[in-house]
Amino acid sequence: MRVAWHPERDEFVKASDVEEEFGKRTLAAGDKFEQPPARCRVCGRNLTLVKGTPKIVAHFRHPALLFCPTKETARAPYLRLRPVDPDPEAGKRLRQIVADRWQDLYSELQLLVPYFSLQEFRALLRRASSQRLWEHRGLEFEQLARTLVMLADYPPWTGYQGRKLWFRFWYDHGIRDVADLWIRPNDPPRLFRASFEPPASIGGRPAYEDVVAIKDEWNQPDWVPRLGSRQIEQIDNWLAKFL
Ligand SMILES: [Zn+2]
């Protein structure tokens, strides 16, 4: 990546600026000079400066083997979603609970995703079905919102009017299988939400360079739309057929 936290100050800097400020030297055998590490804006860990050459632009690099969502290829979800050992009966029960209590689920998702729309809600449920997410053993209704939220990105145009940023979620390192979210209840993984400037190009996806803010605390949002009785009826009917 090309932008990170400055090694010493709380500001974002480009790799080329760090290179300029701390010199073009890198650590060599027997050399006492230590390049101060920059810090990743997404995972907070140290980054090594890779100096620019005529062929490559100066950039920052994570240590090998450590997980950071910025290292993943942009379109591949980093979480494995499909159950390895599906439990269709449990899936049926869970879908029935969703049909009965979908408004609670929707409210929880509204807490996580600003301007979360019914269109997005339906899209998440469709995706959950196509991935057979319901059939995970041990998955309970209470964990659904924080699991479903991982199934999509949230650009401005799929949310309710007023959303200006693009949102994406991830869990801290170590979580690679969605089932890890509920098999360790005493050590709940941290959920992060990044806000991005939407990309200028149609069909583009924001890069981690475009991150505006990262959040891992969830308060009541300023604005939450109320559902009208017609909307409730529509979703009830849709779920009765869909789930
Ligand atoms: Zn990182």
Side-chain angles (χ1 to χ4, degrees):
M1 74 185 67
R2 295 184 195 169
V3 185
W5 286 106
H6 186 274
E8 285 147 14
R9 300 189 295 273
D10 279 343
E11 58 187 60
F12 292 148
V13 277
K14 286 195 227 150
S16 52
D17 296 338
V18 171
E19 194 177 23
E20 200 64 45
E21 183 175 345
F22 294 97
K24 299 219 170 198
R25 294 179 61 190
T26 45
L27 202 61
D31 190 347
K32 291 224 168 67
F33 174 75
E34 279 191 40
Q35 197 74 249
R39 289 155 297 147
C40 177
R41 291 200 294 176
V42 173
C43 70
R45 279 191 290 245
N46 287 350
L47 296 168
T48 314
L49 173 70
V50 178
K51 57 182 182 172
T53 70
K55 282 194 179 154
I56 53 164
V57 183
H59 62 279
F60 298 109
R61 189 167 59 197
H62 280 90
L65 301 178
L66 281 181
F67 168 69
C68 171
T70 62
K71 288 165 77 174
E72 305 300 302
T73 45
R75 282 183 188 278
Y78 78 89
L79 268 187
R80 194 157 52 82
L81 300 167
R82 273 181 185 271
V84 182
D85 175 25
D87 181 347
E89 278 305 308
K92 215 168 155 184
R93 282 195 299 274
L94 188 56
R95 291 199 305 270
Q96 186 55 52
I97 300 173
V98 170
D100 296 338
R101 294 183 55 192
W102 69 266
Q103 290 189 57
D104 294 340
L105 182 59
Y106 183 62
S107 306
E108 269 192 75
L109 284 159
Q110 284 180 309
L111 266 183
L112 299 174
V113 191
Y115 301 93
F116 185 69
S117 68
L118 282 176
Q119 178 197 340
E120 289 174 320
F121 185 58
R122 289 188 194 216
L124 289 186
L125 297 188
R126 275 194 216 101
R127 210 161 286 182
S129 284
S130 72
Q131 299 282 347
R132 301 178 68 178
L133 190 88
W134 317 112
E135 297 175 24
H136 274 283
R137 281 172 206 277
L139 173 59
E140 286 174 26
F141 182 78
E142 284 64 35
Q143 293 132 352
L144 262 185
R146 283 169 164 254
T147 307
L148 288 172
V149 79
M150 300 300 297
L151 299 185
D153 266 25
Y154 305 89
W157 47 89
T158 59
Y160 279 128
Q161 201 174 3
R163 186 189 292 164
K164 296 195 171 60
L165 297 170
W166 177 308
F167 302 109
R168 183 181 302 156
F169 292 80
W170 71 90
Y171 281 95
D172 52 9
H173 51 97
I175 304 290
R176 307 309 297 272
D177 186 313
V178 74
D180 292 339
L181 298 181
W182 59 83
I183 56 172
R184 294 181 305 184
N186 297 328
D187 180 22
R190 263 166 90 199
L191 177 65
F192 295 89
R193 183 184 80 205
S195 312
F196 299 94
E197 284 296 346
S201 62
I202 295 170
R205 208 164 175 274
Y208 280 96
E209 269 76 9
D210 305 324
V211 86
V212 178
I214 294 173
K215 194 177 152 75
D216 67 344
E217 283 169 11
W218 315 100
N219 317 314
Q220 192 65 32
D222 300 335
W223 179 79
V224 174
R226 298 243 167 271
L227 293 173
S229 55
R230 255 195 78 197
Q231 284 173 309
I232 293 174
E233 202 185 315
Q234 275 173 358
I235 299 284
D236 275 338
N237 292 337
W238 178 72
L239 285 175
K241 279 183 239 145
F242 171 72
L243 284 177

